[in-house]
Amino acid sequence: MNPFLRSPSAFQRTPVRAERPDPKTSAGGVVTLRLYDPLDSWGEWWGISAKEFVAVLDELPDDTREIRLLINSPGGEVWEALAILNALRAHPAKVVAVVEGVAASSASFIAAGVDELHMMRNAELFVHKAWGMCMGNADDMTKMSGYLEHEDRNIASVYADKAGGTVEQWLDAMAAETWYSADEAAAAGLADVVLDAESEQAQAVQNRFDLSVFNHAGRRATARPGPKDSSAEAEAATGKEGAVPTLKEEIAKSLGIAEDATDEQVLAAVNEALEERADPAAGTEAAPVTTEAVTQAAAKFGLTVVDSAKLEQWQADAAAGRAALDRIERQDRERVVDEAVAKGKIPPANREHWLNLLAADPAAKETLNALPDELAVPINEIGYSGVDPAQPSNVADHATYKNWSL
């Protein structure tokens, strides 16, 4: 029984529908899909399956350039949601998720994983750790725990890719079973836009709340990937020196030209500015700015002007060092997995799977090391009472379990 369908009225199923836009949304190539049910591999009355969703996705017109995915779902099976998310990511059209009621559990990472996430005013988003059911002995329970930890990190990576921060930070938010209003989701970096239901116009996303009570106090408080914050606060918080703009970038910014302008463009802009400041009545002229002058000015601020050829050499050396480090890390992963195979923790057939898993998530090494030795060695069961071993039997293995994480 699907835990989200407890009353007879809940079995009133809302099919996924692909619609052409009506006149009030007349922009060509925009279609709407509705995800208004639990996510369940059985589909039909139990909810929306990935198979059903992808079938509708395949029916979209070839000229579809944008998909509006309207969501009001309590979530459901992790793998069904991942299949739906990756089908949307693979579609050539831009995908904009619009949470109209709630995007909870696995529906939340579908919403966060597409191109844009819009939330209607008063809509909610809910994140939590995966759960499932297992039947078997202690080894089966240990294995199930490892599976759930893996699923948690996989889900947390979707939120981290969207909003910034680390996987560990988002695991904390999931462990706390955090609810986000539309504004809170926007402040945390999960939502891109908060929509006014009456005017249907997007409002600019601003962090107007003191979110210190949350594990992630807004988008600016997370360690977002990309350019580093050069502020003193960021340096104190991380213990690392922030990125310092180059003198050329500062000069370009002051002159109102692009920060990636060439040296010649910067010098020309400086000369032009100095000419404008020259006093013709006094008969003075501004001296042209040379590379030597810029170098001397940089020295006053403790900066150094680097020759472009030398910079390219440094970058090449850094790339070579990165390649060497990647090689060392790959060799370490192979050593760890080969030791696990030798100890019987995993079968040889799963070697490549674990190598790929460690490459994507180094923390999976702890899960692998925690597995008991000889776990992968086949164990011959000593018959079942009343069952003829020579005859076909449908008696279930006592260690059978179903992982339907929500």
Side-chain angles (χ1 to χ4, degrees):
M1 172 65 71
N2 191 313
F4 299 116
L5 301 175
R6 296 181 179 177
S7 65
S9 61
F11 286 87
Q12 193 81 18
R13 191 163 180 266
T14 304
V16 181
R17 293 201 304 269
E19 301 177 341
R20 281 290 192 179
D22 57 30
K24 68 179 181 180
T25 56
S26 58
V30 180
V31 298
T32 299
L33 299 180
R34 287 180 170 81
L35 192 57
Y36 274 23
D37 281 294
L39 306 174
D40 192 285
S41 56
W42 285 32
E44 296 296 334
W45 297 108
W46 303 102
I48 298 297
S49 69
K51 183 177 180 180
E52 291 170 321
F53 189 92
V54 172
V56 175
L57 201 62
D58 289 341
E59 294 174 358
L60 298 184
D62 292 338
D63 63 348
T64 300
R65 62 176 182 80
E66 181 176 316
I67 297 172
R68 305 283 292 186
L69 179 65
L70 309 184
I71 300 177
N72 183 34
S73 172
E77 296 183 34
V78 170
W79 293 336
E80 292 299 294
L82 287 173
I84 290 173
L85 171 58
N86 285 320
L88 289 167
R89 285 169 166 172
H91 198 282
K94 177 182 178 181
V95 181
V96 179
V98 181
V99 180
E100 297 189 313
V102 64
S105 190
S106 59
S108 68
F109 65 74
I110 291 179
V114 297
D115 297 315
E116 290 185 14
L117 172 54
H118 298 183
M119 292 187 66
M120 300 296 290
R121 181 69 61 189
N122 302 120
E124 294 187 289
L125 188 142
F126 173 58
V127 302
H128 72 124
K129 300 186 78 172
W131 62 272
M133 293 192 302
C134 175
M135 182 172 63
N137 58 31
D139 291 340
D140 298 315
M141 299 298 175
T142 300
K143 186 185 298 183
M144 183 62 171
S145 176
Y147 288 154
L148 289 176
E149 290 178 0
H150 170 73
E151 293 302 330
D152 288 337
R153 297 189 68 84
N154 190 28
I155 294 168
S157 71
V158 178
Y159 303 132
D161 288 343
K162 174 66 177 182
T166 64
V167 168
E168 283 70 22
Q169 288 173 315
W170 283 105
L171 285 173
D172 290 341
M174 292 161 61
E177 299 192 350
T178 306
W179 286 90
Y180 295 92
S181 68
D183 287 313
E184 288 168 347
L190 291 171
D192 300 293
V193 173
V194 176
L195 296 171
D196 189 322
E198 295 181 357
S199 66
E200 296 185 351
Q201 293 180 350
Q203 299 181 359
V205 172
Q206 298 289 339
N207 185 348
R208 299 188 296 272
F209 300 91
D210 178 6
L211 301 179
S212 58
V213 295
F214 292 102
N215 290 301
H216 303 282
R219 178 185 293 257
R220 294 183 182 278
T222 58
R224 295 182 57 77
K228 298 179 181 178
D229 187 351
S230 61
S231 65
E233 292 82 359
E235 181 176 345
T238 62
K240 298 180 180 179
E241 183 178 353
V244 180
T246 65
L247 179 62
K248 190 183 78 171
E249 290 173 342
E250 290 291 346
I251 295 174
K253 183 178 179 181
S254 299
L255 294 173
I257 62 176
E259 294 183 11
D260 59 351
T262 64
D263 293 344
E264 291 75 14
Q265 291 172 329
V266 172
L267 291 175
V270 170
N271 284 328
E272 182 179 352
L274 292 175
E275 289 174 0
E276 293 175 355
R277 294 180 59 184
D279 185 1
T284 60
E285 293 185 1
V289 177
T290 64
T291 302
E292 182 180 359
V294 173
T295 302
Q296 293 174 351
K300 294 180 180 180
F301 296 93
L303 303 176
T304 302
V305 177
V306 180
D307 179 79
S308 59
K310 184 178 295 185
L311 177 60
E312 291 176 359
Q313 181 60 49
W314 289 348
Q315 291 172 334
D317 292 343
R322 177 72 258 180
L325 180 59
D326 289 342
R327 184 171 62 257
I328 293 172
E329 292 176 345
R330 183 177 66 254
Q331 292 171 347
D332 182 65
R333 292 193 296 270
E334 292 174 347
R335 177 187 59 78
V336 170
V337 174
D338 288 341
E339 287 179 357
V341 172
K343 293 179 180 179
K345 293 177 180 287
I346 59 174
N350 286 356
R351 182 177 184 274
E352 288 301 319
H353 167 77
W354 277 98
L355 286 174
N356 293 334
L357 183 59
L358 290 176
D361 181 12
K365 178 180 179 180
E366 298 178 6
T367 302
L368 182 59
N369 289 336
L371 294 177
D373 293 351
E374 307 302 333
L375 179 64
V377 176
I379 299 175
N380 295 324
E381 296 286 348
I382 302 176
Y384 295 91
S385 176
V387 179
D388 183 355
Q391 299 297 323
S393 171
N394 60 359
V395 176
D397 188 323
H398 71 283
T400 300
Y401 62 87
K402 178 185 179 185
N403 175 14
W404 53 290
S405 307
L406 301 183

